Amino acid sequence: MDTTSTSRKAFLSSIITTGLALAGCAPKKDPFELAAGEHAKASGEKVKLLSVDGEVIEVDKAFLRPVPEMPAVSNSEERRGIPGKKFVMVIDLSRCKNLRFCEKACNHAHHLHTGLNWLKVYPMDEAEHTAPYWEPTMCMHCDEPPCVKVCPVDATFKRQDGLVLIDSDRCIGCRFCMAACPYSARVFNWEKPDTLTAEEVCQPYSCETSVPQKVGTVGKCDFCPDMARKGELPHCVSACPNGVYFFGDLNEDSVTNGAETFRFSELIRDKAGYRLMDDLGTKPSVYYLPPVARNFPFEKGLENDNEKS
Amino acid sequence: MKKTVLTDEQIISDLLPKKFGKWGMAWTGVLVVICLLGMFAYYRQLRYGLIVTSMRDYASWGIYISNFVFFVAISLVGSLITAVLRLTGVRWSTPLTRIAEIIAVSAITFGAIIIIVDMGRPERFYYLFLYGRLQSPIIWDVTVITTYFFISVLLLYIPLLPDMKILLAGKEKKGIYRFYSFLGSFWKGTHMQYRISKRAINILCITIVPVAFSIHTVTSWLFATTYRPGWDSSNFGAYFISGAFLVGAGAVSAAMYVFRRFYKLENYITPEHFDKMGKIVVMLGLLYLYFNVNEYLIPYFKMKKSEEAFLNGLFVGEFAPLFWSAIFGGMIIPMIILLFPRGRTPYPMFICGTMIVVGAWFKRYLIVTPTLLHPFLPMHNVPESYKHYFPSWEEWAIAFGSLAGALLVITIFVRIFPIIPIQETLTEHHQKEL
């Protein structure tokens, strides 16, 4: 009983969303009419569904088509942000061994073109006689974002919850933001993303999921606000088995990696947290804990590194 | 030097536009072919995306952007020759004004085109007007470049009106004459019209100076508003403008030689013009050298960590051959040649002008790309192609296509309009006789 009610709900909402999707997409892709009438053959297996006017109808299973995913909120809401939040990330460098699960999870979740990474792990070494360490970087979601300053068309914008996001339907592909970002956080879709299915290409773009990526526009880490709306952690945070990433809300003063939760202010105070290139005045939202009392030796990470430096 | 006495009829027949000869046809044909090749390359870029270029995430701007900077730079000469020299009461430059102004108009047009070519989403170009945000230097650039374009076109058009009357004199309104008539049949040459046109030109000459400074300063800010080593410089605006005046003056020197030679204008573009232009080029070269010293040697003195790899790349590394060729070939050697009176004669001036223009084109490339290849964080875990930049054939074809296009516009202009202002030459001739 429980399962049928959820599937009914899903079906009803899918009808609504299909209608919305049709407005922004090529009309040929109607998952019901055309596909059912012309391309699908009846399998004989019937499924009971509730129609829009409240009647129970029987539909052949072969006529059912997945419906494109719709953004949960409107574009203007996506541009405003989640009220009352101020998202922060803390990255504990003493725990990172360049496993790069974060990178894979991120690439998978955002359907990035093969070879593009929004999340990058660098082998860093400050000077000749200092110890090397692994440093994951992503978009720093700066409070003084140099990229937003230079964007001529408001395609990249700062939200009240601190996030810097991209509207790929607005981006003109001038790449000024890439030149402006000192963290090399932005990547460009030089060609059509090869990871997208036909349905995903057609799906309306959401600034919060950053899917689907579009050729000729800029992409970057979005701090997964769609996950935050669901009360879940960003993909990189939950993918990391070593608990390197802590995500949270500055207003609540708490950050978590899923297993452990800390008061943000205490964590930063006790472990001497800092921000990357803070001297530039960009005011990043990503904080780093220095690589002291490490869990792994630096060399451990070399086996996952594609590039011998 | 002996000067032949010229009659009005002689001057007019000397200066009227002439049909293309054998060389003219060949030259135009070559330009058209290069343009078509560029258009084909751009068709491929539209079809497959910017992947057909060699630009990648680090070198995210390449020769399109440096070509754009080059075009903006060279277009500044319009304001120098027409406005600055006119306002300071220099008279000898009259025969050169139209050459300078058509270079300005065609360069700024192709600068605007090449910036659209660089866009990942050219079909969204109108978003700049629909959603434009004032804090972006790109919007400032769009504004001042559009303004500069219109002022330059007016500065080309208004002094052309008296000549249009000469072109139309006693001709049937057919073919090209219909076009002349459309552009300038209202010009009767009355005292009132001369007064209005003189006033208009004066106003335009005064307004174009700050606008010209703005176009290139704002273009330099596209770089200087970022944090990157090599761009993060308060010297950039002045550095760009001094370089722009140098390349523009170089281009005019080279163009003077070509027009003089192929249009038999020895009586109008005289050795005196070459001598004076040569002196101007030397002065501008010294100015540019001064800003280069500030731009490169002062950071070199400090050698900040973030700038170390970048500066070494220019001075002794990957970009050193190009860098020193541009510095010596495009600035120092032409300057030394032009110090000698014999260097300021037509043919050496042509060689020096060409060297300056070619050097300037590569210098713009060296301003744009090496910086991008030296980011703050290391280039890591990216394909090898991301770490270097050498333009693809499509990029070369498009860049050369745009350069050929600019030359084609100038060539066609010269075919239909007199490149030396006829009426002004006549007036000055009469004043000299009196």
Side-chain angles (χ1 to χ4, degrees), chain A residues 126 150 168 171 175 179 307, chain B residues 60 124 136 228 305 381 387:
Chain A
E126 303 297 337
V150 300
S168 288
C171 179
R175 310 191 292 291
E307 194 172 321
Chain B
S60 56
R124 295 180 183 171
S136 169
R228 298 195 178 243
K305 193 180 167 190
N381 260 340
K387 298 186 180 177

Side-chain angles (χ1 to χ4, degrees), chain B residues 326-346:
Chain B
I327 292 280
F328 280 96
M331 179 167 64
I332 293 175
I333 295 173
M335 233 157 63
I336 293 172
I337 296 175
L338 296 178
L339 280 178
F340 298 96
R342 215 199 250 164
R344 296 193 295 272
T345 51

Side-chain angles (χ1 to χ4, degrees), chain B residues 277-287 334-335 338-339 344:
Chain B
M277 267 316 282
K279 286 176 182 161
I280 288 186
V281 170
V282 173
M283 185 200 75
L284 293 170
L286 286 170
L287 195 66
M335 233 157 63
L338 296 178
L339 280 178
R344 296 193 295 272

Side-chain angles (χ1 to χ4, degrees), chain A residues 100 116 121-124 126 135 137 146 148-154 168-176 178-184 187-188 190-191 214-217 277 280 282 305-307, chain B residues 47-51 53 55-61 118-121 124 127-128 131-133 135-139 221-222 225-228 231 305 372 375-382 386-387:
Chain A
R100 294 166 69 194
L116 295 188
V121 188
Y122 294 105
M124 294 299 282
E126 303 297 337
E135 181 175 72
T137 67
V148 172
K149 275 189 203 163
V150 300
C151 178
V153 293
D154 205 14
S168 288
D169 288 330
R170 179 70 64 83
C171 179
I172 59 169
C174 70
R175 310 191 292 291
F176 198 175
M178 297 178 73
C181 176
Y183 304 99
S184 306
V187 302
F188 193 70
W190 299 99
E191 56 191 315
K214 294 181 176 183
V215 63
T217 66
M277 294 181 230
L280 295 180
T282 50
D305 206 38
N306 296 345
E307 194 172 321
Chain B
R47 183 159 174 202
Y48 301 108
L50 283 168
I51 189 75
T53 70
M55 291 186 278
R56 293 297 177 261
D57 284 350
Y58 291 103
S60 56
W61 283 344
D118 185 70
M119 286 167 59
R121 286 289 189 153
R124 295 180 183 171
Y127 283 11
L128 287 170
Y131 304 111
R133 295 158 85 230
Q135 86 265 39
S136 169
I138 288 188
I139 297 294
W221 288 346
L222 297 181
T225 48
T226 70
Y227 298 99
R228 298 195 178 243
W231 290 356
K305 193 180 167 190
L372 287 166
F376 286 105
L377 294 170
M379 297 188 272
H380 187 73
N381 260 340
V382 288
Y386 277 49
K387 298 186 180 177

